[in-house]
Amino acid sequence: MKRTQREIEESTRQITRRGLIVGGLFVGTGGILAGRMRYLQVERADDFRLLAEENRINLRLLPPARGLIFDRNGVLLAGNEQNYRITIVREDAGDVDAVLDEVAQLVNLDLVSLERARQEIRNRPSFVPVTIADRLSWEELSAVAVNAPALPGVNPEVGLSRVYPLGADFSHVVGYVGPVSDWYLEQTGDTDPVLQIPDFQVGRYNVEDKTEGLLRGRAGTSRVEVNASGRIMRELDRDPATPGSDVQLTVDAGLQNYVEARMHGESAGAVIMDCTNGDVLAVASAPTFDPNLFVRGISTTQWTGLNEDPYRPLANKATQGLYPPGSTYKMVVALAALEGGFISPEETVACPGHMEIGNRRFHCWRRGGHGRMNMLESISQSCDVYYYELAQRVGIENISAMARRLGCGMRHDLPLSGIAEGLAPTMEWKRRRFDQDWVVGDTLNASIGQGFVLSSPLHLAVMTARLASGKTLIPNLIRSVDGVPEARPEPEDLGVNPDHIALIHQGMWRVNNHSRGTAYRSRVMGDEYSIAGKTGTSQVRNITAAERAAGVIRNADLPWERRDHALYVGFAPYDNPRYATAVIVEHGGGGSVAAAPIGRDILLRAQVGDVPPSDLYPVSQRRGIEEMHRTLPIFEAPPQPSGRTPDRGGQDA
Amino acid sequence: MSFLEYNVKSTPTGWQKILHLNWALAMLLVSVACVGFLMLYSVAGGSFSPWAETQMQRFAIGFLAMIIVALVPIWFWRNMSVLAYIISLLLLVYVEFFGSTFGGAQRWIDLGFMRLQPSEVAKITVVMMLAAYYDWLDLEKVSNPLYVAIPLLIIGIPVALTFIQPDLGTSLLMLMGGGAVIFMAGVHWLYFATVIGLAVGTVTAVFTSRGTSWALLADYQYSRIDTFLDPTRDPLGEGYHITQSQIALGSGGWTGRGFMQGTQIRGDFLPESHTDFIFPTLAEEFGFVGAASLLLLYVLILVFCIATALMARDRYASLMVVGVATTFFLYFAVNMAMVMGLVPVVGVPLPLVSYGGSAMLVLMVGFGLVQSAHVHRAR
């Protein structure tokens, strides 16, 4: 419409006035915005920079590879294997149940672990990966990887997991690893950050546990830049994990396998040592169990089975079990008597089958008695009355002092779990323990390794090794760490008259090689591998006077758990002792029948270095021995040393 | 004053008009758009696809549209105002029934090559309609209550249609853009005092109504307000946008982390970083210097627009240009205030920088009108 000039000017004036107001508002608002920018970007820049760093940088712990465990020849006893597993991230998966159903089509998922995974998925933050299946085969992992587009949020991953290639043979030496439990953290007070790594495993038993500090290594860290959903964008820097040290043990895998196999079917324990340097060559306990079960997570059924087995597969009878050593203790008494000059080797003691002390009658194992016995005969025929006589002359303090010199009644510091201390009793001990005075009957019982005396096969093996070598051998199990040989103190001389040692040797030789020796059945043909030993039979029950009158019940007629323990200690070769062993067969009956053959076979295996040929056995036993060696679960071939040679210190003789 | 009073002889004609465009304003617009391309390239992780390339094509089309609109005499556009307004109302009604739905709101029509948001179109047509209305209205009647009610209706219909989509942000922007034209037209200030009083009353009512059966806003709008008042209340949920946005802004510091080095963007911590939250990206990578520079470019654009309005000596042109300028101002001011935590998150793009077709095209047409007013001003 037409406007007058006055109107136009009024309109323009008004627009100019109001336009300047609006423009001023624009600029003013711009100023406020700029001020806010300055506040956020300049004054509070540091705060926000920090928040941005917290947003994007995540510190991830890198698990160290656990140190390997080898035998003395470099055979791998505990290694690490690739463990394929699949994880799921809830927020990436969307419909978790649908995705889990898809996964279940591809891999074998048992209901229990699936339910556990579901629960964990619910409880953890939505961006945290949760393991849904573990220890998959390569085929299963590939199936998941190929179907990845149909499985949102599911990731195949690779980790390291402990594996024991020789399985059950070494569970009583190497032990096993297990997950880090709250209980473990509480017990050890261990605050190593490495324990926070999901699925990290720590040593729980035997060498794995006792050398945890060597094997574990140190966690590395990786600073990674992550995005909002926690996915790693790139690695900023990395401090690699330090792998654990490799531990080489003194045990011999082939020998250990043979000993476990030889005791198969029994409830037994055995130790064999090198009596030149104290190396423990085998620590075996039967029955045994597969340590891999514990790594993978043992089922309740399997656990109950192992725990309730009357043969106690979980216990290491060789080092944890304490038994009355029986007649294997007689060398201690004999040596104490010789050293103290309480008897001469030629002096004889009459054995009528029993001895009366006060109003108590102490019996010899042979009801009719042995007749006149000198020291050599007393050892080879294991006459109890001879030692009752010695006990009264020598006294318990001298006997127990000699026992401790020979390594009994003390703790041997090996990296094994629950090592038993043993007991070489003294008068003072009894007073403290029972508030009772020591009586001469106690000494008599002790002199034949009964009563208060307690030893494990490890003690008896050390005792035999010291008797065989005349040196204070200290048992040791670690040969080298990362190829650096462990320092071993040079064994000192026992400080015993060599003639007396020689006499004991002769007595022990007769046990196996004299026709009246208690282990004559377990003799070795030929001189090259000749062995010397001592049998023992220790009662686990009291024989009442009434039973004795009616005739002692034979072991075979007793229920298993009331039969006598059978023991054998021995060394070989006789001329130049190299190996010493101690064997116990729980409730095996007589030592000469149940334990001595095992001891003989072990000593032969150690000397020959392979399954002993049957011509070393008495002719009548050869067929049985061949049959046994065929059926025992022995390695097809001696295990080959693994490619990695741990021993940079060179092999010693 | 009408086109007949123009001194036609002194006005450039034909293609000569191109030389008489406000090229300084055009270059400012190109500069801002280039900032947009740079940021879209960065947000895509150093790639022209999927955003920067499309955005460039759209800007080219928009720039062409601006020149075409600028070459057409301003009086033609004044005569087209009513028609444009009616068409935009029809489009708004159309999306109400047939529009594509995204994020719970019906907002656009899928044209195949682009998605048209009628509410964006309406922002400009409302301004055109009001300017035409006041050009027609006698000056004495401007503050007459009856003639104040008519522009309120003109604004109210598209605002209501946009609000029920629901799109609170756009409807508020439209309301304020229209209000600016009414203010420029010289309506008595008492009306504005009344409106502000009513607004305060409404806000009070909105908050009092919360949780009752007559609640005036949707729950998500209430929660946005809550989060705005205290973003740390739920940093991983409702307050996530604004918290991450402020972290991105703040961590930029004086000079920023450098092009393509923004960790908030690289790590996807900042959602919608190519649309509504593109400004924190710029601020993180180029710091206070970069962010303030963009603000300066925006303010310069406004200054040129106001200058054009004041020089036009044509009531329609002046009112329309201030309306376009106010709309533009509201876009960037609200967006910046939003990402800096000064106002609630309302979903307003950063003009010419955020990825989006409708807003850019509509704004370029708006600037075409401004250019037309500049070219065809009285000399």
Side-chain angles (χ1 to χ4, degrees):
Chain A
M1 71 184 300
K2 292 263 185 176
R3 287 208 166 89
T4 62
Q5 191 61 29
R6 197 189 56 80
E7 276 179 328
I8 292 168
E9 272 168 18
E10 195 193 322
S11 166
T12 308
R13 212 170 40 246
Q14 190 175 49
I15 284 173
T16 307
R17 200 166 54 233
R18 296 227 166 169
L20 288 175
I21 293 174
V22 170
L25 271 176
F26 289 174
V27 175
T29 311
I32 293 173
L33 292 175
R36 177 73 175 174
M37 268 180 223
R38 206 192 118 78
Y39 169 72
L40 290 178
Q41 296 197 274
V42 179
E43 278 160 47
R44 293 197 54 201
D46 292 342
D47 301 350
F48 285 116
R49 185 61 70 99
L50 195 68
L51 287 171
E53 298 295 296
E54 279 175 15
N55 254 348
R56 80 182 173 103
I57 293 181
N58 229 330
L59 200 65
R60 303 211 162 201
L61 287 172
L62 303 172
R66 194 170 174 82
L68 307 179
I69 302 176
F70 298 94
D71 93 328
R72 65 184 297 113
N73 299 315
V75 177
L76 187 69
L77 304 181
N80 302 313
E81 66 176 356
Q82 304 256 324
N83 174 19
Y84 301 117
R85 58 174 183 255
I86 49 174
T87 60
I88 189 167
V89 179
R90 192 194 341 150
E91 70 178 9
D92 296 343
D95 185 350
V96 171
D97 288 333
V99 174
L100 284 182
D101 287 345
E102 284 286 316
V103 172
Q105 308 265 317
L106 298 170
V107 301
N108 229 345
L109 290 178
D110 64 282
L111 287 172
V112 179
S113 57
L114 198 59
E115 190 43 50
R116 201 181 53 210
R118 272 182 219 276
Q119 196 164 347
E120 214 184 329
I121 290 167
R122 276 194 298 273
N123 294 341
R124 305 291 293 270
S126 61
F127 58 88
V128 170
V130 171
T131 304
I132 46 179
D134 214 357
R135 293 180 187 286
L136 298 174
S137 67
W138 174 246
E139 286 71 28
E140 287 175 309
L141 192 80
S142 310
V144 172
V146 166
N147 289 283
L151 302 168
V154 174
N155 296 305
E157 285 183 10
V158 185
L160 284 181
S161 178
R162 201 62 157 169
V163 64
Y164 302 103
L166 302 186
D169 283 347
F170 278 91
S171 55
H172 290 299
V173 184
V174 171
Y176 50 80
V177 296
V180 182
S181 60
D182 292 341
W183 184 86
Y184 177 88
L185 292 175
E186 210 171 283
Q187 287 294 307
T188 57
D190 195 338
T191 55
D192 190 338
V194 79
L195 301 177
Q196 308 300 324
I197 296 174
D199 299 325
F200 192 77
Q201 292 175 323
V202 288
R204 301 303 299 272
Y205 191 54
N206 280 345
V207 171
E208 288 274 29
D209 182 24
K210 298 296 173 183
T211 62
E212 175 69 19
L214 294 171
L215 293 168
R216 182 185 290 174
R218 199 175 52 78
T221 51
S222 161
R223 286 202 320 137
V224 290
E225 187 173 325
V226 295
N227 71 4
S229 52
R231 195 174 291 277
I232 296 172
M233 309 291 285
R234 63 185 164 131
E235 192 170 53
L236 298 173
D237 53 50
R238 168 184 279 255
D239 170 19
T242 312
S245 300
D246 293 340
V247 171
Q248 189 187 23
L249 302 181
T250 56
V251 291
D252 180 309
L255 184 59
Q256 172 83 19
N257 164 254
Y258 182 86
V259 178
E260 284 287 2
R262 183 64 185 81
M263 300 193 302
H264 188 74
E266 303 280 1
S267 175
V271 172
I272 179 160
M273 285 174 63
D274 186 326
C275 46
T276 60
N277 55 19
D279 281 359
V280 175
L281 300 174
V283 180
S285 179
T288 179
F289 60 91
D290 185 357
N292 292 306
L293 286 180
F294 285 82
V295 184
R296 288 164 197 175
I298 191 166
S299 74
T300 318
T301 332
Q302 287 167 326
W303 170 253
T304 313
L306 288 174
N307 217 16
E308 291 180 357
D309 188 329
Y311 280 24
R312 294 177 297 128
L314 295 174
N316 185 351
K317 285 142 200 155
T319 55
Q320 299 167 352
L322 284 177
Y323 308 90
S327 302
T328 59
Y329 210 57
K330 284 176 179 162
M331 282 85 80
V332 174
V333 183
L335 194 58
L338 289 171
E339 285 291 296
F342 295 107
I343 197 165
S344 78
E346 295 77 28
E347 188 179 337
T348 58
V349 173
C351 169
H354 59 85
M355 179 181 267
E356 307 270 356
I357 300 287
N359 55 359
R360 272 192 74 186
R361 174 175 282 207
F362 290 84
H363 292 271
C364 184
W365 65 270
R366 190 169 198 179
R367 288 200 71 189
H370 287 91
R372 301 205 74 82
M373 293 266 108
N374 65 16
M375 180 163 282
L376 285 179
E377 288 162 339
S378 79
I379 293 175
S380 67
Q381 297 179 41
S382 199
C383 173
D384 291 343
V385 170
Y386 183 89
Y387 288 91
Y388 296 151
E389 176 61 31
L390 284 195
Q392 293 176 70
R393 298 191 194 175
V394 178
I396 190 63
E397 300 299 336
N398 284 329
I399 292 172
S400 288
M402 180 54 75
R404 275 190 289 277
R405 257 168 101 177
L406 294 173
C408 292
M410 61 186 284
R411 219 187 106 81
H412 293 294
D413 198 21
L414 290 181
L416 296 174
S417 299
I419 290 204
E421 189 167 331
L423 182 59
T426 59
M427 296 178 180
E428 149 69 18
W429 169 84
K430 191 185 178 191
R431 204 171 297 119
R432 220 175 41 235
R433 178 76 174 76
F434 294 107
D435 198 21
Q436 281 173 4
D437 283 334
W438 189 268
V439 295
V440 70
D442 295 332
T443 313
L444 263 58
N445 276 331
S447 70
I448 58 162
Q450 297 277 162
F452 298 120
V453 183
L454 287 174
S455 294
S456 68
L458 175 65
H459 289 119
L460 298 180
V462 172
M463 174 193 84
T464 311
R466 289 185 180 181
L467 282 173
S469 64
K471 296 200 167 81
T472 51
L473 291 168
I474 313 279
N476 60 77
L477 196 56
I478 309 271
R479 182 175 160 94
S480 69
V481 173
D482 275 339
V484 180
E486 282 288 279
R488 286 192 282 246
E490 194 59 33
E492 290 165 30
D493 201 87
L494 260 183
V496 176
N497 185 339
D499 294 343
H500 298 159
I501 293 281
L503 200 72
I504 300 287
H505 284 196
Q506 277 178 46
M508 290 174 74
W509 185 84
R510 286 189 181 201
V511 170
N512 275 88
N513 297 287
H514 191 280
S515 60
R516 297 181 76 173
T518 51
Y520 181 64
R521 246 182 72 81
S522 301
R523 66 193 176 279
V524 170
M525 307 311 285
D527 289 338
E528 191 183 353
Y529 299 118
S530 62
I531 65 175
K534 180 76 192 78
T535 59
T537 305
S538 68
Q539 283 173 26
V540 292
R541 65 198 182 105
N542 281 317
I543 299 173
T544 59
E547 184 189 329
R548 218 172 267 282
V552 175
I553 304 168
R554 294 181 341 151
N555 269 309
D557 298 334
L558 283 167
W560 178 78
E561 70 276 6
R562 298 194 66 207
R563 294 180 198 164
D564 297 338
H565 291 319
L567 294 106
Y568 177 82
V569 300
F571 63 88
Y574 170 70
D575 315 323
N576 182 20
R578 175 74 201 272
Y579 302 104
T581 191
V583 179
I584 180 157
V585 180
E586 280 191 332
H587 309 294
S592 55
V593 182
I598 296 178
R600 183 248 332 245
D601 293 351
I602 293 172
L603 286 172
L604 276 180
R605 169 65 181 77
Q607 294 180 89
V608 174
D610 202 343
V611 176
S614 51
D615 59 3
L616 294 174
Y617 293 87
V619 179
S620 61
Q621 296 174 25
R622 286 179 190 169
R623 278 183 61 145
I625 292 287
E626 281 168 12
E627 174 66 18
M628 178 189 79
H629 280 153
R630 209 168 36 248
T631 53
L632 283 184
I634 302 174
F635 291 140
E636 292 284 314
Q640 292 300 309
S642 66
R644 201 163 148 193
T645 310
D647 194 337
R648 273 169 272 168
Q651 303 279 326
D652 62 8
Chain B
M1 100 185 111
S2 75
F3 73 94
L4 293 174
E5 287 156 327
Y6 271 92
N7 184 347
V8 177
K9 280 185 188 135
S10 65
T11 305
T13 54
W15 295 108
Q16 282 184 334
K17 286 179 181 176
I18 287 184
L19 299 173
H20 291 263
L21 285 177
N22 189 343
W23 279 106
L25 177 61
M27 286 306 110
L28 281 173
L29 295 175
V30 171
S31 309
V32 171
C34 283
V35 171
F37 305 151
L38 206 61
M39 292 328 296
L40 289 173
Y41 177 82
S42 169
V43 168
S47 164
F48 282 105
S49 68
W51 300 310
E53 198 179 359
T54 321
Q55 184 83 342
M56 285 170 168
Q57 290 163 359
R58 284 173 180 166
F59 182 73
I61 294 168
F63 197 80
L64 202 65
M66 178 186 83
I67 289 174
I68 291 167
V69 170
L71 297 183
V72 176
I74 188 74
W75 57 85
F76 175 81
W77 295 120
R78 191 200 60 181
N79 294 345
M80 295 302 293
S81 296
V82 178
L83 186 64
Y85 176 75
I86 290 169
I87 289 173
S88 64
L89 283 192
L90 290 176
L91 288 175
L92 277 173
V93 172
Y94 177 82
V95 288
E96 187 55 39
F97 297 105
F98 308 106
S100 303
T101 304
F102 182 77
Q106 286 185 317
R107 286 178 186 173
W108 57 60
I109 299 165
D110 203 333
L111 295 182
F113 67 95
M114 71 172 287
R115 288 162 165 178
L116 184 72
Q117 287 189 54
S119 57
E120 297 289 344
V121 177
K123 279 181 195 163
I124 296 295
T125 58
V126 164
V127 164
M128 288 169 76
M129 181 68 201
L130 288 171
Y133 168 79
Y134 280 112
D135 188 38
W136 163 81
L137 192 67
D138 281 346
L139 286 182
E140 303 83 61
K141 295 179 185 164
V142 162
S143 293
N144 181 318
L146 178 68
Y147 294 100
V148 170
I150 290 169
L152 288 184
L153 203 66
I154 291 172
I155 301 170
I157 294 167
V159 166
L161 284 170
T162 310
F163 183 75
I164 60 174
Q165 280 181 354
D167 187 348
L168 180 66
T170 308
S171 59
L172 281 176
L173 255 61
M174 210 182 286
L175 189 68
M176 290 160 78
V181 179
I182 297 177
F183 178 78
M184 285 296 293
V187 175
H188 199 277
W189 63 268
L190 268 179
Y191 284 102
F192 293 94
T194 313
V195 167
I196 290 166
L198 280 176
V200 172
T202 309
V203 169
T204 319
V206 160
F207 276 94
T208 341
S209 75
R210 181 171 193 183
T212 65
S213 54
W214 53 281
L216 293 171
L217 296 180
D219 273 347
Y220 84 96
Q221 289 163 326
Y222 274 122
S223 71
R224 278 181 171 186
I225 294 170
D226 280 348
T227 305
F228 161 67
L229 294 174
D230 183 12
T232 57
R233 193 175 58 108
D234 185 10
L236 288 178
E238 297 289 336
Y240 185 79
H241 280 51
I242 199 65
T243 309
Q244 295 300 337
S245 165
Q246 290 196 49
I247 290 174
L249 264 154
S251 62
W254 264 107
T255 53
R257 286 175 178 267
F259 184 51
M260 306 268 303
Q261 302 298 313
T263 59
Q264 289 287 101
I265 309 308
R266 299 279 91 76
D268 291 338
F269 290 103
L270 190 57
E272 293 177 45
S273 55
H274 65 294
T275 55
D276 293 357
F277 283 84
I278 198 165
F279 183 64
T281 313
L282 172 84
E284 187 187 20
E285 299 195 347
F286 296 103
F288 177 70
V289 174
S293 302
L294 181 68
L295 183 63
L296 187 67
L297 288 178
Y298 279 141
V299 171
L300 282 177
I301 288 172
L302 292 178
V303 167
F304 275 99
C305 288
I306 297 290
T308 301
L310 298 189
M311 286 189 299
R313 298 184 66 79
D314 174 280
R315 196 164 162 79
Y316 173 78
S318 299
L319 294 181
M320 187 272 298
V321 168
V322 172
V324 170
T326 307
T327 304
F328 182 72
F329 162 78
L330 287 170
Y331 266 117
F332 79 78
V334 171
N335 179 275
M336 287 184 176
M338 171 179 93
V339 300
M340 290 192 288
L342 290 172
V343 300
V345 175
V346 283
V348 174
L350 192 64
L352 304 182
V353 176
S354 286
Y355 180 79
S358 297
M360 167 173 287
L361 211 59
V362 166
L363 272 173
M364 291 310 286
V365 169
F367 282 112
L369 295 169
V370 173
Q371 293 279 23
S372 175
H374 181 80
V375 173
H376 302 98
R377 70 186 184 273
R379 300 190 193 239

